[in-house]
Amino acid sequence: MKEFITIKENVQTEIVDRKSKFIANLFYIENSQEAENIIKNTKKKYFDARHNCIAYRTIEKGQLIEKSSDDGEPSGTAGAPMLYILQKNGLVNVLIIVTRYFGGILLGTGGLVRAYSNSLLQAIEKSSKVEKCFGQELEVELEYSEFENFKYYCKNNSINLIHTRYTENIVCIIELEEQIKQKLMRDFERKNINLNDIKELSKKYITKSI
């Protein structure tokens, strides 16, 4: 998978359906291990809740990993419907946990599917989406006098400046798409941009500039 849609930051929403409270927590995740750790911690946080139903999709080593759980609700009423919604919306590297505090009134299978689905849909609506694509992370060293010019170059060329370290010179960590990296290297070699050095750090999924 070269490109996918995910969320920019975690969100929480809440609905009440016939006295049952549904708390939806939508998380950005990098991998399934992170998802499992969040699930474990969330269950501790809501230890007094009846159910913590989950679904997640994440990319690991180029493979799409998907998982869902009804956590004690009738089979197919929570995890699977939420996973389907994530799939339908094309969302990846996301984890949804919907915590239910039972209100004493049975909702039935159809009511449960609607409640868990609506909880996730409301969280998705509240979230900010970003597009991720496969790119590279680089380390760039430059003179202090060139920093403003470099920031302007990054802005005009859809380069994400993610960290700056102030030493004898300025060292920047940047992330960019492969075709933009090729342009940066050409500009560096032709002295169109004044940089002391460029080092390749890693290939990774990066936030795509839209």
Side-chain angles (χ1 to χ4, degrees):
M1 184 175 290
K2 294 184 178 180
E3 298 183 357
F4 59 86
I5 303 296
T6 190
I7 60 172
K8 187 175 182 180
E9 55 195 13
N10 302 340
V11 299
Q12 182 182 90
T13 60
E14 182 179 314
I15 66 172
V16 176
D17 190 335
R18 281 168 282 180
K19 297 185 179 181
S20 280
K21 180 167 33 174
F22 295 83
I23 303 169
N25 282 284
L26 186 62
F27 298 92
Y28 173 78
I29 56 171
E30 292 283 353
N31 51 59
S32 59
Q33 185 58 58
E34 183 181 359
E36 296 297 337
N37 289 338
I38 293 172
I39 293 166
K40 183 178 179 180
N41 291 333
T42 301
K43 287 185 175 182
K44 286 181 180 179
K45 179 179 179 181
Y46 300 109
F47 67 92
D48 55 340
R50 181 72 68 91
H51 308 281
N52 288 282
C53 302
I54 67 101
Y56 66 75
R57 308 179 78 216
T58 184
I59 294 288
E60 291 186 29
K61 298 179 181 179
Q63 299 296 314
L64 179 62
I65 307 297
E66 298 180 320
K67 182 179 178 179
S68 65
S69 170
D70 298 310
D71 193 37
E73 293 283 28
S75 179
T77 60
M82 293 193 297
L83 181 59
Y84 174 73
I85 289 171
L86 295 181
Q87 294 167 339
K88 188 176 180 181
N89 283 269
L91 291 170
V92 180
N93 279 22
V94 293
L95 159 68
I96 178 65
I97 305 177
V98 177
T99 301
R100 181 191 182 191
Y101 283 93
F102 183 56
I105 300 174
L106 296 175
L107 303 185
T109 55
L112 287 172
V113 171
R114 284 191 298 274
Y116 282 102
S117 297
N118 289 338
S119 295
L120 173 53
L121 289 169
Q122 183 173 279
I124 291 173
E125 184 176 351
K126 183 180 177 181
S127 67
S128 298
K129 285 76 168 180
V130 293
E131 187 173 357
K132 293 279 187 176
C133 64
F134 202 66
Q136 291 200 24
E137 186 175 82
L138 307 178
E139 180 183 273
V140 175
E141 181 181 324
L142 63 154
E143 305 290 337
Y144 278 79
S145 59
E146 294 296 328
F147 190 38
E148 290 302 318
N149 288 336
F150 182 63
K151 287 195 292 184
Y152 183 75
Y153 180 90
C154 289
K155 182 178 180 181
N156 285 349
N157 289 277
S158 300
I159 297 171
N160 300 322
L161 179 57
I162 58 177
H163 181 69
T164 303
R165 188 168 74 250
Y166 300 92
T167 59
E168 181 179 347
N169 293 316
I170 290 181
V171 178
C172 298
I173 305 299
I174 60 173
E175 58 180 25
L176 66 174
E177 297 176 56
E178 179 61 34
Q179 62 267 32
I180 298 174
K181 179 217 169 186
Q182 293 173 5
K183 179 181 185 303
L184 173 65
M185 298 306 295
R186 286 196 302 270
D187 287 340
F188 173 56
E189 292 167 0
R190 296 170 183 173
K191 306 297 183 182
N192 293 332
I193 183 169
N194 294 318
L195 304 174
N196 294 351
D197 191 28
I198 299 177
K199 294 179 182 177
E200 294 188 14
L201 297 181
S202 63
K203 293 185 178 183
K204 56 183 285 193
Y205 281 100
I206 66 169
T207 300
K208 186 174 182 178
S209 299
I210 303 175

